[in-house]
Amino acid sequence: MNQKTLSIGDYAVFLIYFIIVAGYGFWVYKRKHNADATSKDYFLAEGSLTWWAIGASLIASNISAEQFIGTSGSAFKMGLAISTYEWMAAITLVIVAVFFIPVYLRNKIFTMPQFLHERYNGTVAMIMAIFWLLLYIVVNLMSILYLGALAISGISGLDINFCIIALAAFSVIITLGGMKVIGYTDVIQVAVLILGGLMASYLALTLLSEKEGTHGLLNGFAILKKEAPDHFHMIFKKDNPNYMDLPGLTVLIGGMWITNLNYWGCNQYITQRALGANLKTARGGILFAAFLKLLMPVIVVLPGIAAYLLYQKGMFHQEMMSHSGVTDPNKAYPALLNLLPTGLKGLSFAALTAAIVASLAGKANSIATIFTLDIYKKAINPEATDKKLVSLGKWSVVVAMVLGILLSFLIGEKLMGEGKQGFQYIQEYTGFVSPGIFAMFILGFFWKKATSNAALFATIGGFIFSCFFKLCPRFIDLSFLSPYGFSKLALQDDKVTQLYEIPFLDRMGFVFVLCVVGMYIISKIENARGVVPNGLVVDTSMFKTSRAFTAGALIVTGIVVALYSIFW
C-alpha cells in the first residue's frame, strides 16, 4: 500500500499543471482585459465565452470536492443510485436551455436577485440576495474547502488546515481575473479532471480484475457487478437502508426535480456562465454540459463502488478509519488514488485540485457578483462607478474566501467528518431554501398574476416549512405515515428508541407544493383587490429550438432512459 505522500515526480506534474493554468489565465486576462471594462464584462464576461467554454465552465464549476469526495463516498455506501444527481441533471440542463435561459436573455437578466427585483420587488430581491450569500458561504464554500482539503490531505499527507488555506489562495488568484479567466481556464480544468477521474476508474477496475486472476476493464466491471449487486440499483425499495437518502421513485417524479431545476436554472453560481452569451451560444454550451454530465458517474461514482468492493476484500481498512474508528466514506476516493504510481498520482492530484479550484472560483465570483451588483449598488451606493464595483468585487472574493476558511476550521469536521456523507449534507441543507426559491421562480416565469407578497411567502414560508418537516418527528408521533415510507417512530417504555425523519427529497416536494398553493391563494386575493404584478416578456416563440439542439436533446434523453432501464 502506498503511503499518503507525493513524490518529487508527482509534485513536478502538479507544478506543470499549476503553471499551465495560471499562465493561461494570465494570458487570457492580459489579452481580453480592458482597463475600462464594465462591471458586467468583469462579472459575466459579456459576449466573450464560446459554447464550449460555457459548457466546460458549467461542469468545472459543478464538479468539485463534493463530487470527487462526497459522491464517491456516497457511492461507497449506497452504490450507483447516487448517479441520479448526475443523469437527471443532464435532462434538467436540456429543460433549462429550452425554457429558462430564453426568459433570462430576452429580459436582460444578469443576476438572480435582479430577476426577483424586476418580477416582484426590491424587498424580495434583497432578502434572497442575503439568503444566497449565506448559503454560498456557509454551505457551499465551506463544504468545498473542507472536503477538498480532506482529500488533498489524504493523498499528500499535508496538514488539512494548510490545504484549506492553499486551495483558497489558488482560487482567489483565478477569481480575481474575472469571469473571462474563470471561463477559459475551466476548459483546461475540465480536461484535467476528466483525465484524472478516468485514470482512477481504470486503476480500480484493473485492480479488481487482477485480484481475481484476470485482466482488463470489462472483466473488472463484470466482477464489480457480480460481487456487489446491491450497489447497482438506481431505484431503492422501502426496506433499503439508504431509502432515506434516495426514496424510491422520488428521484424520477418527486423532489429530485426540485433539487436539479433549482440548482441548474435558478442559481447565480451556474446560470452566470450563460447569461453573458446570445441564446444560440448559451443553448449550445448547456447542451454540451448535459453530454458531459452523462459521463460523470464513470469518473466519480464507479471509483466509489470499486473502493467498496476492495474494502470488502480487506483493503483500505486503515486508510478509511476516522479518528474515532468509524469507517469514513469520504476517504474512499483518496484511498484509491494512493495506489497510483508516481506521475499518475500527481496527475490525479492535479485533477482533484482542478475540480476544487474551479468550483471555488465560480462560487466566489457569484458571491462577489450578488454582493456588488445586487446589494452594494442597489442599497448602499447606487452611484458607484464600474471601476469602484470591480474593485469591490475583488475585495468581496477575498473576504468570502476568508470566511470560508474560518468556517472550515470551526465546523467543517463536525458537519462532514466522522463517517458522514458530505454530498448528502450539501444537498439536504441547500434543500431548506430551494423549494421556496423554485416556486417563486417558476410562477414568476410562467404565471403573470403571481404577486410580490406571494413571493415573499415562498421565500420565508418555504424555509419555515422545511424546518418544521425536519423537526416535527422529534415532537409528533408520525408512525401512522410509516406504511408510505415517510417517517417512523419506534417506542419502547414510552421513550423514542429509533427515529426516522421524512426523507429530505420528499420533504422538499411537500414544501414546494405548499409554497405553490400559498402563492396561488395570496396572489388571487391580491389580484381581486386590484394588485397588478410586474410581468416579464414571455412568448412561445422564445422556446423554439434549432434542429441540431433538438437532436442533441433527444439523444441525451434517450441515453438517460436507457441507463435507468438497464440499472433499475
Side-chain angles (χ1 to χ4, degrees), residues 123-193:
T123 301
V124 175
M126 188 59 64
I127 290 174
M128 283 311 306
I130 295 171
F131 253 132
W132 271 311
L133 285 183
L134 292 174
L135 181 68
Y136 287 166
I137 294 173
V138 176
V139 177
N140 298 108
L141 207 61
M142 183 270 290
S143 62
I144 294 169
L145 274 173
Y146 180 79
L147 288 175
L150 181 69
I152 289 178
S153 176
I155 297 169
S156 65
L158 297 171
D159 178 70
I160 187 171
N161 292 332
F162 170 79
C163 292
I164 289 172
I165 295 172
L167 283 172
F170 189 6
S171 303
V172 167
I173 292 172
I174 298 295
T175 313
L176 292 181
M179 182 51 74
K180 287 191 185 77
V181 175
I182 294 171
Y184 282 106
T185 55
D186 277 351
V187 177
I188 299 177
Q189 310 276 45
V190 162
V192 173
L193 73 87

Side-chain angles (χ1 to χ4, degrees), residues 120-301:
Y120 296 114
N121 61 26
T123 301
V124 175
M126 188 59 64
I127 290 174
M128 283 311 306
I130 295 171
F131 253 132
W132 271 311
L133 285 183
L134 292 174
L135 181 68
Y136 287 166
I137 294 173
V138 176
V139 177
N140 298 108
L141 207 61
M142 183 270 290
S143 62
I144 294 169
L145 274 173
Y146 180 79
L147 288 175
L150 181 69
I152 289 178
S153 176
I155 297 169
S156 65
L158 297 171
D159 178 70
I160 187 171
N161 292 332
F162 170 79
C163 292
I164 289 172
I165 295 172
L167 283 172
F170 189 6
S171 303
V172 167
I173 292 172
I174 298 295
T175 313
L176 292 181
M179 182 51 74
K180 287 191 185 77
V181 175
I182 294 171
Y184 282 106
T185 55
D186 277 351
V187 177
I188 299 177
Q189 310 276 45
V190 162
V192 173
L193 73 87
I194 289 177
L195 181 60
L198 290 174
M199 202 169 301
S201 297
Y202 173 83
L203 167 72
L205 295 179
T206 302
L207 188 59
L208 277 173
S209 63
E210 289 176 353
K211 277 186 145 316
E212 297 296 323
T214 62
H215 298 281
L217 294 177
L218 293 179
N219 286 332
F221 185 70
I223 292 167
L224 197 58
K225 286 189 66 178
K226 179 182 177 182
E227 298 191 25
D230 57 320
H231 274 53
F232 281 90
H233 295 295
M234 290 298 297
I235 306 298
F236 289 149
K237 296 180 179 179
K238 293 175 185 176
D239 58 353
N240 191 296
N242 299 302
Y243 185 85
M244 288 295 296
D245 291 315
L246 295 172
L249 291 175
T250 294
V251 301
L252 292 179
I253 58 175
M256 184 60 69
W257 284 109
I258 299 169
T259 296
N260 274 314
L261 287 169
N262 177 72
Y263 180 84
W264 293 102
C266 312
N267 185 351
Q268 181 70 31
Y269 170 52
I270 293 299
T271 55
Q272 189 161 337
R273 273 105 187 109
L275 294 183
N278 59 49
L279 181 58
K280 181 180 178 181
T281 303
R283 277 180 168 165
I286 294 171
L287 184 62
F288 178 44
F291 276 102
L292 291 177
K293 262 298 182 185
L294 297 175
L295 181 64
M296 288 304 111
V298 178
I299 296 172
V300 298
V301 175

Side-chain angles (χ1 to χ4, degrees), residues 469-517:
F469 282 118
K470 169 73 173 177
L471 299 174
C472 70
R474 300 175 184 274
F475 310 104
I476 304 171
D477 183 353
L478 298 179
S479 56
F480 66 92
L481 291 176
S482 61
Y484 307 100
F486 296 146
S487 179
K488 179 180 179 180
L489 289 175
L491 302 176
Q492 183 176 354
D493 298 328
D494 296 327
K495 295 182 179 179
V496 175
T497 60
Q498 192 176 20
L499 173 65
Y500 292 96
E501 297 178 354
I502 300 171
F504 73 87
L505 286 174
D506 286 336
R507 191 167 72 226
M508 289 172 63
F510 298 157
V511 173
F512 174 73
V513 171
L514 288 173
C515 287
V516 169
V517 171

Side-chain angles (χ1 to χ4, degrees), residues 103 107 109 115 118-119 444-445 448 534-538:
V103 176
N107 291 275
I109 301 297
F115 163 80
E118 294 188 10
R119 177 58 182 85
F445 281 152
K448 292 185 177 182
N534 301 321
L536 297 175
V537 178
V538 178

Side-chain angles (χ1 to χ4, degrees), residues 316-482:
F316 306 144
H317 280 271
Q318 183 177 354
E319 290 84 348
M320 294 193 59
M321 287 296 123
S322 66
H323 296 303
S324 62
V326 177
T327 301
D328 188 352
N330 290 328
K331 295 184 177 180
Y333 196 82
L336 194 60
L337 293 190
N338 277 323
L339 299 176
L340 286 168
T342 298
L344 293 182
K345 186 176 180 181
L347 181 60
S348 293
F349 181 67
L352 185 59
T353 305
I356 298 164
V357 168
S359 192
L360 285 172
K363 189 67 69 178
N365 184 266
S366 295
I367 290 169
T369 302
I370 290 175
F371 176 75
T372 304
L373 299 184
D374 296 299
I375 295 179
Y376 181 79
K377 184 171 176 60
K378 283 188 169 63
I380 300 174
N381 186 5
E383 304 302 320
T385 63
D386 278 327
K387 184 177 180 180
K388 172 71 173 178
L389 293 175
V390 171
S391 177
L392 182 64
K394 292 179 179 180
W395 279 108
S396 301
V397 168
V398 176
V399 172
M401 206 63 75
V402 169
L403 290 174
I405 291 171
L406 293 175
L407 288 169
S408 298
F409 287 168
L410 295 173
I411 61 176
E413 184 175 3
K414 182 178 180 180
L415 294 175
M416 289 172 285
E418 297 298 319
K420 297 175 181 176
Q421 297 183 67
F423 183 75
Q424 295 302 95
Y425 156 78
I426 296 168
Q427 300 305 321
E428 177 169 6
Y429 285 93
T430 302
F432 273 81
V433 296
S434 53
I437 294 173
F438 182 57
M440 66 177 173
F441 266 78
I442 201 70
L443 291 185
F445 281 152
F446 305 115
W447 192 47
K448 292 185 177 182
K449 294 182 179 181
T451 64
S452 56
N453 283 333
L456 198 60
F457 166 81
T459 302
I460 300 174
F463 179 75
I464 294 173
F465 285 139
S466 294
C467 292
F468 172 78
F469 282 118
K470 169 73 173 177
L471 299 174
C472 70
R474 300 175 184 274
F475 310 104
I476 304 171
D477 183 353
L478 298 179
S479 56
F480 66 92
L481 291 176
S482 61

